[in-house]
């Protein structure tokens, strides 16, 4: 399966610190996407990185992709309490797109 | 970005009744649609993948007679939970994918919270 697997499962930091989450997948991909989900709500698309890209930025977010290691990382800089949420990656390949367990990020004010 | 609309956003139904959830791609034609289910504090689990005009492919353990998926057009897929029971209460999310020059991308609906009483 094309499941993305995030680590760590839970991360607790102070406001202003950086948060790094990792994602690994198993086979070749078209692209990899990161999503955020606040408790009990829908998904918010954060960023998409294609298989031929190595790094993308969006505001305080930085995503890297290493296709040789089949892994990606999401860095949130200067975290805020509002960043508290669960973060998921999905590794997409044609007709297969699944989620890992996610990383639960808690940013303490 | 592309927009996927899911309706309703929440529904409460009585045990034994059926509920239909719609997933529409508003500004693109979706070649593939995915349906997910999420239990509280857990990740999203892929239930089925559907391509327009063909039968859905269900994941292991998902009852196809219980969760009916119809993908009649390139912009609409429906999930019908038949004879719903309280254990079917969950958060259901769809996503729609399409291919364009730079590759294939997928976008998610806002989800439907189903409560069966």
């Amino acid at each position: 399966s094309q499941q993305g697997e995030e680590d760590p499962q839970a991360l607790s930091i102070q406001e202003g610190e950086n948060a790094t989450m990792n994602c690994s997948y198993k086979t070749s991909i078209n692209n990899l996407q990161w999503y955020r989900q606040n408790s009990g709500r829908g998904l918010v698309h954060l960023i998409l990185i294609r298989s031929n890209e190595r790094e993308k930025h969006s505001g305080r977010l930085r995503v890297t992709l290493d296709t040789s290691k089949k892994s990606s990382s999401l860095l949130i800089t200067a975290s805020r309490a509002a960043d508290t949420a669960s973060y998921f990656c999905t590794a997409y390949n044609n007709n297969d797109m699944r989620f890992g367990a996610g990383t639960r990020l808690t940013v303490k004010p | 970005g592309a927009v996927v609309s899911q309706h309703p956003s929440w529904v409460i139904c009585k045990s034994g009744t059926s509920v239909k959830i719609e997933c529409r791609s508003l500004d693109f034609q979706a070649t593939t649609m995915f349906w997910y289910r999420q239990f509280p504090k857990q990740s999203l689990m892929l239930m089925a993948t559907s391509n327009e005009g063909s039968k859905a492919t269900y994941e292991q353990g998902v009852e196809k007679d219980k969760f009916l998926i119809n993908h009649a057009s390139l912009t609409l897929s429906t999930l019908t939970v038949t004879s719903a029971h309280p254990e079917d209460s969950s958060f259901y999310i769809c996503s729609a994918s399409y291919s364009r020059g730079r590759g294939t991308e997928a976008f998610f609906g806002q989800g439907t919270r189903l409560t069966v009483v």
Side-chain angles (χ1 to χ4, degrees):
Chain A
S1 69
Q2 200 52 267
Q3 186 172 3
E5 298 182 1
E6 299 88 347
D7 91 278
Q9 291 189 355
L11 180 62
S12 182
I13 59 175
Q14 293 294 134
E15 203 166 30
E17 294 179 340
N18 296 341
T20 299
M21 290 160 269
N22 302 299
C23 170
S24 61
Y25 56 93
K26 295 180 180 177
T27 62
S28 62
I29 60 172
N30 293 36
N31 59 64
L32 186 143
Q33 302 182 54
W34 284 90
Y35 291 85
R36 184 184 76 202
Q37 184 181 40
N38 289 0
S39 181
R41 298 190 175 183
L43 295 169
V44 175
H45 182 258
L46 295 177
I47 200 163
L48 179 151
I49 185 165
R50 295 185 173 84
S51 60
N52 61 350
E53 298 174 316
R54 292 297 167 258
E55 186 172 311
K56 284 190 79 170
H57 297 254
S58 177
R60 293 183 296 112
L61 306 179
R62 181 171 78 99
V63 168
T64 62
L65 178 65
D66 187 334
T67 53
S68 66
K69 296 181 179 178
K70 294 184 171 55
S71 68
S72 173
S73 68
L74 170 67
L75 168 68
I76 303 175
T77 60
S79 64
R80 304 167 182 169
D83 295 329
T84 294
S86 290
Y87 292 82
F88 299 94
C89 73
T90 68
Y92 182 76
N93 183 358
N94 299 326
N95 281 351
D96 200 340
M97 185 168 70
R98 300 162 194 256
F99 288 80
T103 294
R104 177 66 190 171
L105 173 66
T106 302
V107 181
K108 300 175 183 178
Chain B
V3 178
V4 175
S5 175
Q6 191 172 335
H7 177 80
S9 55
W10 60 271
V11 58
I12 301 173
C13 71
K14 290 186 178 180
S15 189
T17 61
S18 295
V19 175
K20 180 184 285 188
I21 303 169
E22 292 187 348
C23 180
R24 293 181 184 272
S25 55
L26 297 186
D27 51 2
F28 65 95
Q29 293 184 326
T31 51
T32 304
M33 287 192 175
F34 303 87
W35 286 96
Y36 299 84
R37 180 176 183 178
Q38 185 182 36
F39 292 103
K41 297 185 180 180
Q42 294 188 26
S43 184
L44 289 84
M45 289 173 33
L46 180 64
M47 298 175 66
T49 303
S50 73
N51 295 297
E52 185 264 341
S54 61
K55 291 184 179 180
T57 301
Y58 288 81
E59 294 300 305
Q60 193 172 7
V62 178
E63 300 176 59
K64 60 181 180 182
D65 295 330
K66 173 78 171 174
F67 299 99
L68 300 178
I69 291 173
N70 184 286
H71 192 164
S73 76
L74 285 171
T75 59
L76 174 64
S77 177
T78 61
L79 167 67
T80 302
V81 182
T82 62
S83 188
H85 288 101
E87 58 265 31
D88 298 325
S89 298
S90 192
F91 194 56
Y92 294 87
I93 300 179
C94 72
S95 74
S97 72
Y98 72 111
S99 298
R100 57 182 186 179
R102 299 180 66 185
T104 302
E105 299 182 12
F107 299 89
F108 285 81
Q110 68 271 40
T112 296
R113 182 161 302 284
L114 170 63
T115 302
V116 184
V117 298

